[in-house]
Amino acid sequence: MAYQAGGQRSAPRPVPESLEAQAYLQDYATYLEAVPFPSVVLDHRWDVVLSNDAFASLFREVGPHPTAQPGDNFLRFVLFHPDAPSVLGDHEAGWCLPMLARFAAAVERHGHDHGLQAIRRDIAQDPLMEAAYRQGLPHWIRAVGEDAVEHDGAVRPLVHPDPRWGATECRIVADTPRTLHDMGYTRLTMVLRSTRPAPVPRRRTGGARRTASHLSVVPAPEA
């Protein structure tokens, strides 16, 4: 069984063997649905364990993708989905680079994890993304400081498909209860703010996959 407050996922993830842990996740899914802001529970691979309807609503205009749907693996969505910049404003500095930095730390801790290694291979297959990971990321961290890598407390731009929000901001709150933490999970909530920055383009034209060419930390190749 897959636990997702907003409905069943297309590719179920493993669930804890303990019946008590499964019951906790079922009850936590009910609790999560009462949260009015987009909220998601992730494992160490950024696979989505639980998410609420507000999370699904934020990404409701995102097109299909074979490996990078936001409700399946949030890291893959940020890095590889061509529609990610249409929802995640300031995509490179606000989302992509901090997620890459967290991913690099996870690879150091869980180097033999097959799921993380699969993401690492996909990064390596994209020359510009690989350059960002190996060279651009360390330079960026030195420039902005380690605090920019942290999710909790960060204020990041969003473009919500609901016109009542539109181009806005969210504060990311990492609020993981002990039971979830003991299962190896992390909960992130995007608390939408009323402040509205300048509009961000909603969607790219055309259906071509966006590569890492949008990463300004990597110099564009010469023609």
Side-chain angles (χ1 to χ4, degrees):
M1 179 180 179
Y3 302 108
Q4 187 171 20
Q8 283 195 320
R9 68 171 86 251
S10 58
R13 304 283 184 254
V15 297
E17 295 182 2
S18 163
L19 293 178
E20 178 59 29
Q22 293 176 26
Y24 177 87
L25 287 180
Q26 288 178 318
D27 291 338
Y28 200 84
T30 301
Y31 163 74
L32 202 65
E33 196 51 56
V35 176
F37 300 115
S39 194
V40 61
V41 175
L42 307 166
D43 69 10
H44 70 279
R45 304 178 187 92
W46 287 270
D47 284 341
V48 175
V49 178
L50 301 171
S51 63
N52 62 4
D53 277 343
F55 182 86
S57 179
L58 176 62
F59 300 105
R60 68 191 184 208
E61 294 185 358
V62 167
H65 191 284
T67 63
Q69 289 300 104
D72 289 335
N73 184 285
F74 194 63
L75 176 64
R76 283 187 174 277
F77 170 72
V78 172
L79 297 184
F80 300 122
H81 201 300
D83 291 344
S86 70
V87 181
L88 307 177
D90 192 18
H91 177 248
E92 177 184 341
W95 298 91
C96 189
L97 289 169
M99 292 288 282
L100 271 178
R102 303 292 290 188
F103 172 72
V107 169
E108 288 186 7
R109 291 194 304 270
H110 309 282
H112 299 294
D113 184 277
H114 294 300
L116 293 177
Q117 287 302 319
I119 296 172
R120 182 67 187 91
R121 286 193 297 271
D122 286 347
I123 291 173
Q125 290 173 4
D126 186 324
L128 286 175
M129 185 71 78
E130 176 71 1
Y133 183 79
R134 285 185 174 273
Q135 291 131 24
L137 184 61
H139 172 76
W140 176 77
I141 293 174
R142 287 194 300 270
V144 301
E146 293 286 346
D147 288 347
V149 173
E150 294 300 321
H151 294 314
D152 185 42
V155 176
R156 295 175 180 165
L158 286 177
V159 183
H160 202 294
D162 187 332
R164 291 174 297 179
W165 291 104
T168 186
E169 295 176 337
C170 72
R171 183 180 295 279
I172 298 179
V173 176
D175 183 16
T176 305
R178 179 182 57 82
T179 303
L180 281 184
H181 180 271
D182 290 346
M183 294 179 186
Y185 300 152
T186 300
R187 176 187 167 194
L188 299 177
T189 300
M190 304 174 191
V191 180
L192 301 178
R193 293 154 58 95
S194 59
T195 302
R196 298 193 179 191
V200 178
R202 290 288 302 275
R203 186 177 294 278
R204 298 176 68 229
T205 57
R209 177 187 180 276
R210 179 185 290 266
T211 69
S213 60
H214 64 290
L215 295 176
S216 64
V217 295
V218 181
E222 295 183 2

